[in-house]
Amino acid sequence: MKLPDWCWLSSAVLAACGLVVVANNETEEIRDGRAKDACPAMLESRGKCSSAGECPFQVTLPPLAIQLPQEFGRIEEVFKEVQTLKEIVDSLKKSCQDCKLQADDHRDPGHGLGSPGTGAPGEAGDNRVEELENEVSKLSSELKTAKEELDMLQGRLEKLNLVNMNNIETYVDSKVANLTSVVNSLDGKCSSKCPSQELIQSQPVQHLIYKDCSDYYVIGKRSSETYRVTPDPKNRSFEVFCDMETMGGGWTVLQARLDGSTNFTRTWEDYKAGFGNLRREFWLGNDKIHLLTKSKEMILRVDLEDFNGVKLYALYDQFYVANEFLKYRLHIGNYNGTAGDALRFNKHYNHDLKFFTTPDRDNDRYPSGNCGHYYSSGWWFDACLSANLNGKYYHQKYKGVRNGIFWGTWPGMNEAQPTGYKSSFKEAKMMIRPKHFKP
Ligand SMILES: [Ca+2]
C-alpha cells in the first residue's frame, strides 16, 4: 500500500532537523540551545545509567497533527449512522418480539397474555407469520380475480350501453324492411306462377281483398275515385283516393294540395289519423301510409305544378314509412324524374331515414328547435328541410319564413329573388304504387 504524500512530507521534516540527543542524567545535561529551538523532538536519558554504561533514553515528540483527507471526515458520520441503525434494529427486534407474543395470543386465546412460553415462541410466531402471509396471498389472489370479473362486467355493461334505442330502432327497421321485401317477392312469385291467382284475377268477384289502388286497377277499375282498401287483414280497411290515369294508373294517393282549403299545420295525432277531404286536399294518415307501404314494396311519385303552369315530377323506386313506434321513419329509394331529388338534396339536407316531426312532436335533427313548428308542417324533417310538401298553401309568392309548400330542386327555387319573395306551388301530390305493378 502506497503511503499518502503527507506521510513522506513529515519524515522529510524529521530528517532535515535531525535528533537532538539529551542526556538527562539529572546531574549533567548536554544541550545544544540552537538545535533545541529549531527541532522540538528531543532524545533524553531517563534514570541512572547502569554500571555497564547503558543509559535509558526516551524520545519526546511534539504533539502531532496529521492532515487527513476529507473522506476520513465521513467516518464519524458513518459511525453515527451505524449507531442509529443499531438502535432501529434493536427497536425492530423488540417490536417483532412483541408481535410474536401477540400473534401467539391471537392464535390461542386460551393462553392469555404472556403465556407463549408453552411452546417455542419464535417458531410459533414464524408459523403464524407464514400463515398470515399465505392468507394475505390468498386474499390478494381472490381480490385479483374479483377485479378481473368486475372489469369483464364493466366491459359487458359498456357493450349493452352501446345497444341504445337508436340501434334497436335501426335493427327493427331493417328487419321490417327485409320482411316486407321477402313477403313482396313471395307475393310476386305467386301472382306470376300460381294458376289459381290468375283465375282469381280473371274473376273479379272472387278478389276479396284489395290492398291498394293497383288491385282495383287489376280488376278493371279505371276511374279516379275513392275506393276501400285493406292493406293489412289484421287492421281495418279504409277509404283512399285512386289515381287511375297518371302514368298508367293504379296509384294510391297519400297527399294532395290544390287550393289551400285544408290547414296542414296540425298535431301528431292529426297526422297519425289523417285529415282533410280525399277528393280535394288531405293527408291520408301516417298509420295508413305505414300499412300500405308494409303490405307491398312501393314506389313514390311526387307531382308538382307551379303558378306558371310548369308541371314536373319525382319518382323514388322505394318508399316505406315505419310504424308509430319508430316515429314513422321515412325510407326512400333511388330518384328518377324531372323535378329533382329534393328529398335527398345533399348530405346536410336529406329526408331519407328521418323521423316524422309535427309542431307538437319534435323528432327532427335540429337541436335548438322544432322544424315542424318553425315551418308550420308535419314532415320527415332533417335540420331542417330541402323539401316540405305539407307547408302552408300560398296563393302567390310570399315573404318571410319559407314555410310554404317547398321543393328545393325546383328550377329557380333557390335563386335569390331581388324582391325577397319566395315562390310556392299551385298543386302538389304524393302517391304510391307497387313496385312490380305493370299497368
Ligand atoms: Ca329539434
Side-chain angles (χ1 to χ4, degrees), residues 38-177:
C39 290
M42 290 188 298
L43 180 68
E44 54 191 344
S45 61
R46 254 308 169 214
K48 298 195 186 281
C49 298
S50 69
S51 54
E54 288 172 344
C55 302
F57 284 92
Q58 70 176 29
V59 177
T60 306
L61 292 173
L64 184 64
I66 296 169
Q67 205 65 37
L68 294 172
Q70 283 180 345
E71 286 77 8
F72 278 74
R74 288 208 57 229
I75 287 173
E76 194 180 358
E77 284 174 37
V78 171
F79 274 130
K80 273 183 193 165
E81 277 175 32
V82 167
Q83 192 56 36
T84 316
L85 283 171
K86 193 173 168 294
E87 281 163 16
I88 290 169
V89 167
D90 286 345
S91 106
L92 280 173
K93 254 186 188 168
K94 190 179 180 300
S95 39
C96 191
Q97 195 64 29
D98 293 347
C99 205
K100 276 178 183 172
L101 295 177
Q102 282 183 22
D104 287 335
D105 288 342
H106 283 290
R107 189 177 57 170
D108 192 356
H111 281 271
L113 202 70
S115 53
T118 48
E123 197 184 314
D126 285 348
N127 288 344
R128 182 61 187 147
V129 167
E130 203 173 310
E131 270 174 37
L132 283 171
E133 270 174 6
N134 287 342
E135 209 164 309
V136 165
S137 140
K138 200 177 131 202
L139 281 172
S140 147
S141 128
E142 276 172 14
L143 204 62
K144 201 180 157 203
T145 314
K147 193 186 171 293
E148 278 166 8
E149 275 173 24
L150 269 176
D151 284 348
M152 202 179 72
L153 284 172
Q154 178 86 19
R156 280 166 67 184
L157 198 66
E158 277 167 13
K159 273 185 192 165
L160 280 173
N161 277 340
L162 287 177
V163 185
N164 58 20
M165 202 57 199
N166 276 346
N167 290 350
I168 291 167
E169 281 178 6
T170 311
Y171 177 77
V172 172
D173 254 13
S174 73
K175 287 290 168 197
V176 167

Side-chain angles (χ1 to χ4, degrees), residues 362 364 366 369-370:
D362 185 350
D364 62 37
Y366 180 61
N370 180 336

Side-chain angles (χ1 to χ4, degrees), residues 213 221-227 240-246 249-251 253 279 429:
C213 294
K221 300 286 184 188
R222 293 294 184 272
S223 64
S224 294
E225 253 307 330
T226 57
Y227 295 88
V240 294
F241 189 87
C242 297
D243 180 332
M244 300 301 199
E245 295 145 51
T246 304
W251 297 95
V253 184
R279 295 172 184 278
K429 189 157 77 167

Side-chain angles (χ1 to χ4, degrees), residues 94-361:
K94 190 179 180 300
S95 39
C96 191
Q97 195 64 29
D98 293 347
C99 205
K100 276 178 183 172
L101 295 177
Q102 282 183 22
D104 287 335
D105 288 342
H106 283 290
R107 189 177 57 170
D108 192 356
H111 281 271
L113 202 70
S115 53
T118 48
E123 197 184 314
D126 285 348
N127 288 344
R128 182 61 187 147
V129 167
E130 203 173 310
E131 270 174 37
L132 283 171
E133 270 174 6
N134 287 342
E135 209 164 309
V136 165
S137 140
K138 200 177 131 202
L139 281 172
S140 147
S141 128
E142 276 172 14
L143 204 62
K144 201 180 157 203
T145 314
K147 193 186 171 293
E148 278 166 8
E149 275 173 24
L150 269 176
D151 284 348
M152 202 179 72
L153 284 172
Q154 178 86 19
R156 280 166 67 184
L157 198 66
E158 277 167 13
K159 273 185 192 165
L160 280 173
N161 277 340
L162 287 177
V163 185
N164 58 20
M165 202 57 199
N166 276 346
N167 290 350
I168 291 167
E169 281 178 6
T170 311
Y171 177 77
V172 172
D173 254 13
S174 73
K175 287 290 168 197
V176 167
N178 284 349
L179 283 172
T180 308
S181 157
V182 168
V183 167
N184 287 340
S185 76
L186 285 173
D187 267 7
K189 274 178 191 164
C190 191
S191 64
S192 60
K193 287 177 186 169
C194 192
S196 62
Q197 183 74 12
E198 276 175 29
L199 194 66
I200 288 166
Q201 285 186 3
S202 64
Q203 297 173 352
V205 178
Q206 292 179 23
H207 196 121
L208 296 174
I209 292 177
Y210 304 97
K211 289 188 163 184
D212 59 90
C213 294
S214 72
D215 287 342
Y216 281 101
Y217 187 94
V218 166
I219 61 164
K221 300 286 184 188
R222 293 294 184 272
S223 64
S224 294
E225 253 307 330
T226 57
Y227 295 88
R228 180 157 285 271
V229 294
T230 315
D232 178 6
K234 296 192 295 293
N235 282 275
R236 283 188 300 170
S237 57
F238 50 87
E239 293 277 311
V240 294
F241 189 87
C242 297
D243 180 332
M244 300 301 199
E245 295 145 51
T246 304
M247 212 175 98
W251 297 95
T252 305
V253 184
L254 305 181
Q255 184 254 29
R257 313 295 300 274
L258 45 90
D259 54 14
S261 58
T262 297
N263 176 22
F264 272 67
T265 308
R266 301 273 192 147
T267 62
W268 180 267
E269 285 305 314
D270 283 350
Y271 271 98
K272 172 186 163 74
F275 55 83
N277 181 341
L278 285 180
R279 295 172 184 278
R280 295 185 67 79
E281 293 197 322
F282 66 92
W283 179 256
L284 183 62
N286 288 339
D287 280 343
K288 292 168 190 164
I289 295 172
H290 164 67
L291 291 176
L292 284 164
T293 58
K294 193 179 85 167
S295 89
K296 292 180 187 177
E297 214 174 327
M298 295 288 189
I299 60 169
L300 171 73
R301 182 179 166 109
V302 174
D303 279 284
L304 290 162
E305 182 182 347
D306 67 12
F307 287 101
N308 300 318
V310 177
K311 292 182 181 180
L312 300 173
Y313 74 96
L315 263 178
Y316 290 89
D317 70 0
Q318 186 212 344
F319 178 76
Y320 172 73
V321 172
N323 63 18
E324 187 179 20
F325 177 73
L326 299 171
K327 301 174 214 164
Y328 303 119
R329 198 182 204 192
L330 174 68
H331 299 248
I332 49 167
N334 294 321
Y335 160 84
N336 205 333
T338 55
D341 187 1
L343 287 181
R344 274 184 315 213
F345 188 71
N346 58 30
K347 69 174 180 178
H348 300 295
Y349 293 104
N350 184 351
H351 296 282
D352 186 25
L353 299 177
K354 299 304 177 300
F355 300 116
F356 204 81
T357 286
T358 54
D360 62 331
R361 193 75 65 91

